[in-house]
Amino acid sequence: MIRLLILFFIFQSVAFAQIPDEEYLVEKPDGSVEIINYIPGSRDTIQDVLISRGMDQMPVVKLKPGDLPADGADRKYWKRGVMKVIEIDTVKKQADLAAEAQRQSEVDTILGKMCPTCTREDLNKVIKNG
Amino acid sequence: MFKLLRFSLIASLLVIGSHNLSADVASLESNYVAGQTDIVSKLNNDRTTLTNSVNNIRGVFAGSVQSSGQIQADTIGEENMADDANPRIRTSEGASCADLVVSGLLPGTSTNLISTVSAGVAYPDGYRIDKTTGTAKTFTASVWTYGYINTSGSFEYQETAIDAATPAAPANTATLFRVSTDGSSIVSISDLRSTSCTAGPFEAISDANGEATLEDVLVNGQPVRQYSNAGRTPQGWVQGLFVSRDTASTFVVTQGSVYINGEYRFVSSDFTVTTGNDAPATGGSGLDTGAIAASTRYYVYAVADQDAVPGFSISYSTSASAPSGVTNYRLIGSLTTDASSNFTSSETVTAHGINPKEIIAAYVEFEGNASNGANINIDDAFNISSVADSGTGNYTITIDQDMNSAQYAAVCSANQPGDTTQGAQCGFVSKAAGSIVMRTAGSTGSSGDCSDCSAVFIGDTRR
């Protein structure tokens, strides 16, 4: 049994081996950020990569484990932070949500005029099925 | 009278023996005393001892049988040996093989038919011959004359028509030269001497008796490819000789060494081959016949038709099997021309090597939405220096050793996170020689990160 467990853990490490990389945050002029996973030992240096991307004059921070948010749901709103390396741009997010709500309201209004007796579910089916 | 004879005998034996006793260990009986009763026996013993010493007979007996005569140990020093029997001389002249010519024994060109074969040293059949003076010779007009030296130290000659096959050397000789004459003069001298015992032939060189020879090693086997693009199997040694387009009107064959139809040749600098015609007999490279044509595949050959040189030339032809006007050739690759008769790189092939276009230039496999706190996990890669997360479903892949241009093929695949029923959409934008942007989307077409994302790049690259 112990041998099986040992083999299991070995298999895990072999099957899911990753290439060790270094992560860098680049702050772009519009406030958004790009995360570069750089493979050490490459012919290109990280500076070469930044130059090829036109990012060599932008602020760059080397990330440590834990600097990245746990999930990427708000990836669109990542920005370089103060208290943390990466923070969520809540202002931008709220603005986008408000804009989306406004847009949805306008859509509902138009659809409602097209089908005054349709329910919300009916309208969603129409939208989904084109 | 008897006493006089006896004295004479003893004196003569002593005289004979004295010349040879300086290095000998022969011992004689004690002094003779007049009137000894065993004087005859002693004289006979001394006679035998002196005789053996003079003749350097060791006189070793096995029981009652004397072994065959042999030179007594430590009686002849190297400095006493004649040059033609001296092993030190033989070793210093490198004569570990028969028919070696150590020096000289060549005639010179002349404005008439008379020349002098120079002094020199040779070992026909292993016998050392030292010609201390030159030997004049009047050669026959308008023939080839082969010269040899025999074990007696005399020169021998054979005449053939010009360009005739090489005759067999006479027995017990070492081959020296071939003289070519016209109607009135000696035009050229071909040096046919074997001046080194390590110069082959390849069939005679092996690590141990009965094992593979150098000839076996160089003749057999196929390098890299099992089949050339002409459908044949390239055979024998080849190193280098990669074919590549250079300009619209030239292509390059890199330096190297090659076995061509029994000929071993090498060059130490690259060929730049033009659209002009070849001249294989004098080492000229080019098109075998006619003029360069449009939209045509040309087969490139290494050619060894030039005599007595270490190098080879390049001929190319529309024929995949037999270039025109060439005798010793070997297919090494092919390339094509476009509609304007310009050489292209798109179909260039080296018969014994792999073109960079025929192998993967770069690839990467990564998780685009890592769940372990990292944004991207690169699981495996080749010739990739980075993968950047530029946004949702937006990845910039940087190629480490750039492609030669942006005209390469890129292929991708991706899965949607959590979806085991269908794959995600993926494609590329902003393709450049050193980087490419990979975009992924879910089944609805909206941008979305991918899991298990792969990208492969194939094209013209140089490392």
Side-chain angles (χ1 to χ4, degrees):
Chain A
M1 183 60 179
I2 293 177
R3 291 177 187 171
L4 288 174
L5 283 173
I6 292 172
L7 282 173
F8 173 76
F9 285 118
I10 290 173
F11 175 75
Q12 290 274 29
S13 63
V14 170
F16 300 105
Q18 295 162 355
I19 291 182
D21 56 19
E22 299 171 348
E23 292 168 327
Y24 295 84
L25 176 147
V26 180
E27 183 180 16
K28 294 193 275 190
D30 64 357
S32 65
V33 297
E34 181 150 321
I35 310 299
I36 297 177
N37 287 64
Y38 170 73
I39 299 175
S42 300
R43 180 190 293 256
D44 289 337
T45 63
I46 182 59
Q47 191 65 18
D48 292 331
V49 173
L50 293 171
I51 290 172
S52 71
R53 300 289 313 284
M55 295 177 171
D56 51 303
Q57 301 301 317
M58 300 177 189
V60 177
V61 177
K62 185 175 181 180
L63 299 177
K64 298 186 299 298
D67 284 345
L68 288 171
D71 71 73
D74 289 325
R75 170 68 182 88
K76 190 176 178 181
Y77 304 108
W78 289 5
K79 68 172 184 179
R80 187 175 177 188
V82 177
M83 302 302 294
K84 297 180 183 179
V85 178
I86 296 177
E87 294 176 344
I88 306 301
D89 189 340
T90 54
V91 173
K92 186 177 180 183
K93 183 177 179 180
Q94 288 303 321
D96 282 356
L97 289 175
E100 176 61 20
Q102 175 66 25
R103 189 192 72 82
Q104 190 63 46
S105 172
E106 293 170 356
V107 169
D108 287 346
T109 300
I110 295 171
L111 291 175
K113 291 179 179 177
M114 292 169 61
C115 180
T117 60
C118 294
T119 63
R120 183 68 225 171
E121 290 74 17
D122 294 332
L123 292 173
N124 285 340
K125 286 178 185 176
V126 170
I127 296 170
K128 181 178 180 183
N129 295 328
Chain B
M1 184 60 177
F2 176 73
K3 289 183 180 178
L4 179 61
L5 286 175
R6 184 180 64 188
F7 175 77
S8 298
L9 173 61
I10 292 171
S12 62
L13 288 174
L14 288 173
V15 169
I16 294 170
S18 67
H19 293 302
N20 297 282
L21 289 176
S22 58
D24 197 0
V25 292
S27 61
L28 303 178
E29 295 282 352
S30 56
N31 290 343
Y32 304 114
V33 178
Q36 274 181 295
T37 56
D38 58 351
I39 188 63
V40 173
S41 173
K42 289 183 180 179
L43 285 170
N44 280 330
N45 288 341
D46 286 345
R47 177 182 62 78
T48 301
T49 300
L50 288 170
T51 302
N52 291 344
S53 176
V54 168
N55 293 327
N56 285 317
I57 296 175
R58 192 172 180 183
V60 175
F61 283 83
S64 60
V65 177
Q66 183 179 11
S67 62
S68 58
Q70 51 187 299
I71 298 175
Q72 191 165 2
D74 298 325
T75 56
I76 299 179
E78 179 271 327
E79 66 278 7
N80 302 127
M81 300 183 73
D83 284 354
D84 58 0
N86 192 327
R88 177 183 63 80
I89 297 294
R90 185 175 293 266
T91 300
S92 73
E93 291 182 339
S96 59
C97 59
D99 300 337
L100 174 74
V101 179
V102 178
S103 63
L105 304 177
L106 284 177
T109 56
S110 172
T111 55
N112 53 41
L113 295 173
I114 301 172
S115 184
T116 297
V117 181
S118 63
V121 175
Y123 284 82
D125 282 5
Y127 289 87
R128 185 174 190 275
I129 301 297
D130 184 1
K131 301 292 285 186
T132 55
T133 59
T135 303
K137 163 73 176 174
T138 300
F139 292 89
T140 304
S142 303
V143 296
W144 278 356
T145 303
Y146 291 83
Y148 315 86
I149 189 162
N150 62 28
T151 54
S152 299
S154 301
F155 291 103
E156 295 186 29
Y157 304 95
Q158 291 191 103
E159 296 176 353
T160 69
I162 292 176
D163 288 334
T166 303
N172 305 319
T173 64
T175 303
L176 300 176
F177 55 80
R178 183 186 74 203
V179 166
S180 181
T181 55
D182 61 13
S184 59
S185 64
I186 297 174
V187 176
S188 66
I189 311 293
S190 296
D191 184 352
L192 303 180
R193 302 172 302 168
S194 291
T195 58
S196 170
C197 287
T198 60
F202 288 165
E203 293 91 339
I205 300 173
S206 67
D207 184 51
N209 285 337
E211 295 185 0
T213 66
L214 188 55
E215 175 80 3
D216 296 331
V217 171
L218 296 177
V219 167
N220 295 290
Q222 293 81 42
V224 187
R225 289 185 191 271
Q226 187 175 12
Y227 301 104
S228 71
N229 59 322
R232 296 192 299 277
T233 301
Q235 183 83 14
W237 173 266
V238 59
Q239 284 272 65
L241 277 68
F242 287 98
V243 180
S244 64
R245 175 191 179 275
D246 183 31
T247 68
S249 58
T250 60
F251 67 90
V252 166
V253 175
T254 60
Q255 51 90 5
S257 57
V258 61
Y259 170 77
I260 307 170
N261 193 28
E263 305 286 345
Y264 298 94
R265 299 298 174 88
F266 88 100
V267 293
S268 57
S269 56
D270 297 349
F271 291 95
T272 298
V273 186
T274 69
T275 55
N277 290 118
D278 65 357
T282 54
S285 297
L287 182 60
D288 64 343
T289 185
I292 199 80
S295 304
T296 301
R297 172 175 290 278
Y298 287 97
Y299 296 88
V300 183
Y301 298 86
V303 175
D305 276 1
Q306 195 177 7
D307 288 335
V309 295
F312 56 93
S313 62
I314 301 296
S315 293
Y316 58 104
S317 171
T318 56
S319 172
S321 58
S324 174
V326 175
T327 304
N328 299 304
Y329 55 89
R330 171 176 176 166
L331 180 69
I332 61 171
S334 65
L335 75 167
T336 59
T337 56
D338 61 16
S340 302
S341 302
N342 296 324
F343 290 124
T344 71
S345 62
S346 61
E347 295 292 331
T348 303
V349 174
T350 297
H352 50 274
I354 300 296
N355 190 304
K357 288 185 179 179
E358 299 175 82
I359 56 178
I360 301 295
Y363 74 86
V364 62
E365 199 276 344
F366 62 95
E367 298 168 44
N369 69 327
S371 59
N372 58 354
N375 202 44
I376 293 174
N377 282 335
I378 300 175
D379 293 325
D380 200 7
F382 171 71
N383 195 32
I384 299 293
S385 56
S386 70
V387 178
D389 173 13
S390 304
T392 301
N394 188 341
Y395 308 96
T396 302
I397 301 169
T398 304
I399 299 171
D400 198 9
Q401 175 63 49
D402 294 355
M403 308 297 287
N404 275 356
S405 70
Q407 280 70 52
Y408 57 91
V411 180
C412 68
S413 70
N415 289 338
Q416 294 187 85
D419 189 335
T420 59
T421 61
Q422 56 189 346
Q425 302 175 53
C426 71
F428 295 99
V429 298
S430 302
K431 183 153 63 89
S435 66
I436 190 170
V437 177
M438 177 175 167
R439 302 298 301 269
T440 60
S443 57
T444 62
S446 299
S447 292
D449 286 344
C450 59
S451 61
D452 202 13
C453 327
S454 301
V456 178
F457 309 108
I458 302 172
D460 196 356
T461 182
R462 298 180 187 178
R463 300 190 181 91

